[in-house]
């Protein structure tokens, strides 16, 4: 597997053995809280803290460049999770609606469940 997130297109693409498995609209960071670009990986899956996050949260190795502490966690990791109420904003085109995390419609988030820890995650501006 490989996850590619295009901030400019506001899309998350999941690939398996070179084939596109999912190409979904995504909520990405705002200009005040941008999603960092670079090469990362899936660190782990966490239980969702509330239903708005979807069935799970995928924690990546990316860290926010603008937030140093998220809700007294001591860090601001970038995660992939459900829409947190932004379904309408994400729509079919994606939107800049998050504090740096990647938000997906629940149906799209569920497609990421088979992805193992260690999967490469590329976040690009284009």
């Amino acid at each position: 597997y490989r996850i590619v997130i295009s901030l400019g297109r506001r899309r998350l693409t999941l690939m398996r053995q070179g084939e596109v498995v999912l190409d979904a609209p995504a909520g990405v960071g705002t200009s005040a809280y941008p999603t960092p670009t670079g090469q990362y990986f899936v660190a782990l899956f966490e239980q969702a803290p509330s239903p708005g996050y979807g069935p799970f949260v995928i924690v990546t190795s990316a860290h926010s460049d603008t937030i140093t502490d998220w809700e007294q966690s001591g860090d601001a990791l970038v995660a992939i999770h459900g829409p947190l109420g932004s379904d309408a904003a994400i729509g079919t085109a994606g939107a800049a609606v998050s504090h740096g995390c990647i938000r997906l419609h629940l149906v799209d988030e569920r497609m990421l469940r088979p992805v193992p820890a260690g999967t490469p995650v590329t976040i690009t501006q284009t």
Side-chain angles (χ1 to χ4, degrees):
Y1 287 100
R2 176 176 200 77
I3 296 172
V4 178
I5 299 160
S6 167
L7 301 178
R9 291 182 43 235
R10 298 177 177 159
R11 309 279 306 172
L12 179 144
T13 303
L14 174 63
M15 302 181 76
R16 183 175 183 203
Q17 298 176 342
E19 300 290 323
V20 174
V21 176
L22 174 68
D23 182 30
V28 300
T30 64
S31 58
Y33 302 104
T35 303
T37 59
Q39 300 291 325
Y40 307 103
F41 60 89
V42 171
L44 59 118
F45 280 73
E46 282 284 333
Q47 183 174 351
S50 70
Y53 285 89
F56 52 82
V57 173
I58 298 175
V59 179
T60 74
S61 62
H63 296 260
S64 172
D65 293 329
T66 55
I67 301 171
T68 57
D69 186 22
W70 182 256
E71 296 184 353
Q72 291 92 32
S73 68
D75 200 351
L77 292 167
V78 174
I80 302 169
H81 54 70
L84 287 175
S86 297
D87 272 310
I90 294 169
T92 58
V97 294
S98 81
H99 286 95
C101 286
I102 305 302
R103 297 183 187 183
L104 297 175
H105 295 296
L106 294 178
V107 66
D108 296 327
E109 180 190 8
R110 287 185 187 101
M111 295 284 295
L112 299 177
R113 190 60 192 109
V115 172
T119 294
V121 176
T122 302
I123 304 174
T124 67
Q125 196 58 52
T126 58

